[in-house]
Amino acid sequence: MVHRVNETAKVQMHTRINGLSLLEKITASLPGVIFTCIQRPDNSNVITYISSGCQELFELKPETVQANFLVLLNLIHPENVQTFTESFLVSSNTLSPLYWEGRIVTASNKSKWVQVTSHPSKQANGDIYWEGLVMDITTRKLAEENLRVSEARYKAILNAIPDLIFRINANGEYIDFKGEGANITIPREQIIGKNLWDLLPQDVANSSYAAIHKALASRSVQTCEYKLLTPIGLRDYEARLVVSGHEEILAIVRDITERKQAEAQLHISVSRNRLLAETLARIRKSLHLDEILQTTVTEVRKFLQADRVFIALHENKNQNNAQCRVLAESVNPCYPAVLDWKDDNPDECLFNELKTSLLINNVRVVEDITKIEASASLKGLYQAFHTQATLAVPVILGDELFGVLIANQCSSPRYWQPVEIDLLQQISEQLAIAIQQAKLYQELAQLNFNLEGQVEERTVQLQQKVQEIQELSRIKDVVLDTVSHDLRTSVMGNLMVLNNLLKADREIPSSIIERMIQGNERQLGMINSLLEINSSDAKDMIMHQEIVNFTTLIEAILQDSTSLLTRYQAQLVTQLKNLDRKNSVIVKADQELLRKVFVSFLTYSCQNNPPGLNFSIKAKMDGDKIRCIIQDSGVGMNKSECDSFFDLHVRDPQNRLSTSLCLKLYMCRQIIKAHGGDIGVNSNRKQGVTYWFTLPIQQTITS
């Protein structure tokens, strides 16, 4: 019987071995590791098969693992050994599937997450046969960990935000709600599932609904502000709406009542300061008192939002005849004006009543005229002009009450704020100064005007003289530097060559003669440039101008520049034909002088760039002038170099630009100015240098 059992076991083992060959072929192309293992009754383990993925996952050869099962267990991270052991024992004892996730540390000290799945089965001889799969799940685990960290971070951020946060769908229905809020007394269950119109006033709900759909349509943040009546009073709120999902937005709601109040106070303060500044400026600048007074009442009424503001002066015609006269007024058209009011029967008692109140308190504040004691005459005035609240400050000259600045509220009683009272008091002080010094100011302003004119005239004359002296000094420096540096250098070079030749006593090589000729040519060119500068004043420059077609003129000049372009292997493209097809532009110009301008531009670009430079020339109409633009493809200049490009300056010894060419660039500006045009240079580090100049148009012939 025992013999038969052993034979059966051998057959089964043989079948399994044959199957392993096929299994190896399949698993070679699969990720992870496939294994089979036998657990003996004595709890020893034998790896009967492990796929080639073992090398990549565990950094172990399959034969190493098969030789010693413990090398796999030694890879398990110390913090995960217990969970693996517990899972393995449970599966082994109950023959339930093994499912474990944990970390391993390979020989190269790489930490990996693996997932082990295995199915145990009990054999007839008591062995437990395991078939399983080990997968590398490091990427998934890292993603899960990052997600958990992100969720925790976002949750912390949301919890730290003191604002109310609502999730609302496109129909205006509340999906979720976060934060209790100081002013929210509605329970959570009465918010979720409701819509905007269930909880908000209709106008607020309508504007919020429109903002939600605007946010969904534009996929941008929308902001709306509104007011709500709460248990602690009327509050201001700001809602920021941001798209959070399909047909869904997040509404972050903040109580901005304190901010709004601060803004209102700031606005009042700014308006007050602006009004004071403007009034003071007008008092100082204007010579017309009526204009000052009218501006004052208009601006004060605008600032106070009052129904009426006026200025009344107390006039003492004689000891027995004192009257009040209104000089300026700004009034709401709904209420009667006091400007034409005349005090035909002056009431000395009424005047003394107001005078005493103003001089003692320096201000008269009435918030509700029905709640004060007043004479019959004063009550009659209030009734006649519909006055329900009034604020008055005195205009005092010396110790005398000269007049009054008064604000009325006719629509209802009114609480006058301290900042409003302070404003009127400061305005009254400026009015007193204006009234007292109007004539003196006018006389002083005239004297100042005359004096300023004389000073300005003398200053201009002095500045002109200083500029002339500075220009003469600068030109002197340029000429001295040119003569002392370039001419001396060239002459000394020629002398050295001649001395060497004299000592050598031999035939002069042609190359030396050529260099001497070139040196002399440079001297001659520089001398010619200096002579040109000497006569280059735009007013005195001698020109031989002709009436010519602009395009024909430029093309003729460029034709003469062919040899220069050839010498530096440069290419030039003109774009002037398009101008001819639209307009024939006629100008008055000296062709030879303009040729010098073009040659100077081309020479500068060629000498400061490698061979093979590209030029483009085009022109366009610019008002009553034609603008010519020459652009190269070379190295650009900085703004400082562009600004001083045409200046007459002392050459830097390290600068590649010759003194002769430097002088010619100065001449370019003088030539164009003599033609009545403008000249300039622009630069872009990526697009080279652009020269431009303009010439006045004599005639335009449209085709």
Side-chain angles (χ1 to χ4, degrees):
M1 184 66 179
V2 174
H3 177 73
R4 290 181 178 178
V5 171
N6 290 337
E7 288 295 328
T8 302
K10 290 180 179 179
V11 171
Q12 291 176 343
M13 183 62 70
H14 180 72
T15 302
R16 286 175 180 168
I17 292 173
N18 291 335
L20 289 176
S21 298
L22 178 60
L23 181 63
E24 181 65 33
K25 295 179 181 179
I26 296 173
T27 58
S29 60
L30 295 177
V33 176
I34 295 176
F35 69 91
T36 59
C37 176
I38 294 178
Q39 180 184 355
R40 305 297 186 189
D42 60 359
N43 289 328
S44 62
N45 295 276
V46 177
I47 300 293
T48 57
Y49 171 77
I50 189 164
S51 64
S52 58
C54 174
Q55 179 71 43
E56 180 178 354
L57 181 58
F58 300 127
E59 298 180 7
L60 295 172
K61 295 181 179 180
E63 52 268 26
T64 302
V65 176
Q66 288 180 306
N68 185 4
F69 173 75
L70 293 179
V71 296
L72 285 181
L73 298 181
N74 292 335
L75 296 180
I76 299 176
H77 194 284
E79 295 180 3
N80 300 127
V81 170
Q82 183 177 350
T83 59
F84 176 80
T85 303
E86 292 174 352
S87 299
F88 180 79
L89 290 176
V90 170
S91 180
S92 175
N93 293 333
T94 62
L95 297 180
S96 59
L98 171 65
Y99 181 83
W100 176 79
E101 291 184 358
R103 290 168 294 170
I104 64 171
V105 180
T106 66
S108 64
N109 204 32
K110 290 183 179 178
S111 179
K112 299 181 180 180
W113 279 88
V114 296
Q115 180 187 84
V116 180
T117 306
S118 183
H119 296 275
S121 60
K122 194 82 170 186
Q123 303 298 305
N125 62 356
D127 294 346
I128 298 177
Y129 180 72
W130 299 82
E131 296 176 331
L133 173 66
V134 183
M135 298 292 292
D136 186 343
I137 60 170
T138 304
T139 302
R140 192 196 79 193
K141 278 294 186 179
L142 291 177
E144 291 175 353
E145 180 63 23
N146 290 336
L147 180 60
R148 282 194 296 270
V149 172
S150 297
E151 288 178 346
R153 184 184 299 114
Y154 294 145
K155 185 176 181 181
I157 292 172
L158 288 176
N159 289 335
I161 295 176
D163 306 321
L164 302 172
I165 301 178
F166 299 91
R167 285 177 56 207
I168 307 174
N169 63 23
N171 296 324
E173 181 180 340
Y174 291 94
I175 304 173
D176 200 359
F177 163 67
K178 175 264 172 187
E180 296 303 324
N183 304 329
I184 299 297
T185 58
I186 304 175
R188 177 186 179 87
E189 58 272 14
Q190 294 185 21
I191 295 178
I192 307 303
K194 302 291 185 179
N195 61 41
L196 297 171
W197 293 270
D198 294 331
L199 303 178
L200 300 174
Q202 185 172 0
D203 59 334
V204 176
N206 290 340
S207 62
S208 300
Y209 183 77
I212 288 172
H213 279 268
K214 189 173 181 180
L216 290 171
S218 65
R219 313 299 291 182
S220 62
V221 177
Q222 298 296 316
T223 303
C224 58
E225 295 182 0
Y226 54 89
K227 295 181 180 290
L228 286 180
L229 186 61
T230 72
I232 60 174
L234 189 65
R235 309 291 291 180
D236 289 281
Y237 293 93
E238 176 190 76
R240 290 181 176 270
L241 310 178
V242 59
V243 177
S244 60
H246 180 66
E247 297 296 298
E248 178 184 308
I249 62 100
L250 276 183
I252 303 174
V253 180
R254 173 173 296 180
D255 187 333
I256 59 171
T257 305
E258 285 73 19
R259 190 191 82 191
K260 282 292 187 180
Q261 291 174 348
E263 289 175 354
Q265 290 298 323
L266 179 61
H267 174 72
I268 291 174
S269 178
V270 171
S271 299
R272 168 185 170 277
N273 293 337
R274 178 190 59 79
L275 179 58
L276 282 172
E278 289 182 357
T279 303
L280 181 59
R282 296 209 181 199
I283 287 175
R284 290 176 176 175
K285 292 180 180 180
S286 177
L287 301 177
H288 302 286
L289 183 59
D290 291 342
E291 179 184 348
I292 295 171
L293 299 179
Q294 188 58 50
T295 300
T296 299
V297 295
T298 301
E299 292 297 327
V300 169
R301 189 170 84 86
K302 185 189 301 183
F303 173 80
L304 297 179
Q305 295 295 300
D307 294 322
R308 180 190 299 113
V309 174
F310 63 96
I311 297 172
L313 294 183
H314 177 243
E315 295 182 321
N316 286 316
K317 294 186 177 180
N318 53 59
Q319 292 183 348
N320 299 321
N321 187 8
Q323 286 187 333
C324 286
R325 182 166 63 94
V326 177
L327 295 182
E329 178 187 30
S330 175
V331 62
N332 186 325
C334 298
Y335 303 103
V338 300
L339 187 61
D340 298 329
W341 172 72
K342 292 182 180 180
D343 189 7
D344 295 328
N345 299 305
D347 187 341
E348 284 296 322
C349 293
L350 171 60
F351 176 77
N352 290 331
E353 176 186 352
L354 296 175
K355 178 179 179 180
T356 301
S357 175
L358 288 169
L359 291 178
I360 292 176
N361 302 313
N362 204 32
V363 64
R364 186 168 186 269
V365 181
V366 179
E367 298 177 353
D368 186 348
I369 58 113
T370 62
K371 306 223 177 130
I372 65 167
E373 294 183 1
S375 64
S377 299
L378 184 56
K379 288 183 178 179
L381 287 175
Y382 286 154
Q383 185 175 4
F385 294 105
H386 300 188
T387 305
Q388 297 198 43
T390 183
L391 172 63
V393 294
V395 180
I396 300 176
L397 298 179
D399 296 328
E400 294 294 325
L401 178 65
F402 186 79
V404 188
L405 174 60
I406 302 172
N408 291 159
Q409 194 70 22
C410 302
S411 57
S412 63
R414 170 170 178 168
Y415 168 72
W416 301 101
Q417 299 181 21
V419 67
E420 297 171 335
I421 298 171
D422 180 65
L423 171 72
L424 253 66
Q425 289 177 326
Q426 293 198 49
I427 291 293
S428 71
E429 294 174 2
Q430 300 301 325
L431 282 175
I433 296 172
I435 295 169
Q436 188 178 37
Q437 298 184 352
K439 291 184 179 180
L440 180 60
Y441 182 83
Q442 185 173 3
E443 294 174 1
L444 181 60
Q446 188 62 44
L447 290 174
N448 286 339
F449 177 79
N450 295 337
L451 180 59
E452 288 174 359
Q454 294 174 6
V455 172
E456 183 178 354
E457 182 179 356
R458 292 297 177 87
T459 301
V460 171
Q461 292 174 355
L462 288 175
Q463 289 176 343
Q464 289 175 347
K465 291 296 182 182
V466 170
Q467 289 175 356
E468 290 175 2
I469 293 172
Q470 290 176 341
E471 181 65 15
L472 289 173
S473 177
R474 189 175 65 84
I475 293 176
K476 179 201 69 175
D477 291 340
V478 171
V479 173
L480 288 176
D481 179 76
T482 302
V483 172
S484 64
H485 185 278
D486 290 86
L487 292 180
R488 181 188 299 168
T489 300
S490 181
V491 170
M492 289 179 64
N494 288 339
L495 288 174
M496 290 175 63
V497 172
L498 292 173
N499 286 329
N500 289 335
L501 292 174
L502 182 62
K503 293 177 181 179
D505 192 21
R506 56 185 175 84
E507 184 180 353
I508 304 175
S510 61
S511 59
I512 295 178
I513 295 176
E514 289 176 357
R515 285 198 298 271
M516 293 178 64
I517 292 174
Q518 291 173 359
N520 288 324
E521 286 178 346
R522 283 195 298 271
Q523 292 181 51
L524 181 60
M526 184 169 53
I527 292 171
N528 290 336
S529 297
L530 290 173
L531 292 174
E532 288 176 344
I533 289 174
N534 188 53
S535 60
S536 66
D537 189 286
K539 298 178 181 178
D540 303 327
M541 183 178 291
I542 299 175
M543 295 192 299
H544 303 284
Q545 293 179 289
E546 301 175 279
I547 300 297
V548 293
N549 181 288
F550 178 80
T551 302
T552 304
L553 171 66
I554 298 303
E555 289 180 343
I557 292 173
L558 295 178
Q559 185 67 30
D560 294 338
S561 305
T562 303
S563 60
L564 173 64
L565 296 172
T566 302
R567 186 192 317 162
Y568 290 98
Q569 303 174 25
Q571 299 292 326
L572 186 147
V573 177
T574 61
Q575 302 176 23
L576 303 176
K577 295 299 182 182
N578 291 334
L579 182 66
D580 274 349
R581 283 198 288 268
K582 297 179 181 178
N583 302 290
S584 293
V585 178
I586 306 301
V587 297
K588 186 177 182 182
D590 185 320
Q591 178 173 339
E592 180 57 26
L593 292 178
L594 288 183
R595 187 190 68 81
K596 292 182 179 181
V597 172
F598 273 87
V599 169
S600 297
F601 288 161
L602 298 178
T603 301
Y604 175 85
S605 291
C606 290
Q607 289 187 0
N608 285 275
N609 289 281
L613 202 63
N614 292 322
F615 290 95
S616 66
I617 298 181
K618 59 183 178 180
K620 63 179 182 179
M621 306 289 286
D622 188 1
D624 61 348
K625 295 182 180 180
I626 183 74
R627 179 182 290 263
C628 185
I629 302 167
I630 305 100
Q631 183 172 358
D632 70 30
S633 61
V635 178
M637 298 185 293
N638 59 40
K639 185 177 184 302
S640 176
E641 291 173 326
C642 289
D643 292 342
S644 62
F645 188 75
F646 297 103
D647 290 346
L648 184 61
H649 58 275
V650 177
R651 180 176 65 86
D652 184 348
Q654 302 302 321
N655 193 338
R656 292 175 296 169
L657 181 61
S658 69
T659 299
S660 177
L661 181 53
C662 177
L663 299 177
K664 290 183 182 298
L665 291 173
Y666 170 78
M667 282 294 302
C668 290
R669 181 168 61 186
Q670 301 301 97
I671 291 171
I672 296 301
K673 283 188 175 182
H675 279 78
D678 296 315
I679 191 170
V681 60
N682 304 318
S683 179
N684 185 307
R685 290 294 184 185
K686 297 181 180 180
Q687 297 180 0
V689 176
T690 302
Y691 315 94
W692 61 266
F693 66 86
T694 62
L695 294 176
I697 297 174
Q698 298 294 318
Q699 183 181 3
T700 302
I701 303 174
T702 303
S703 58

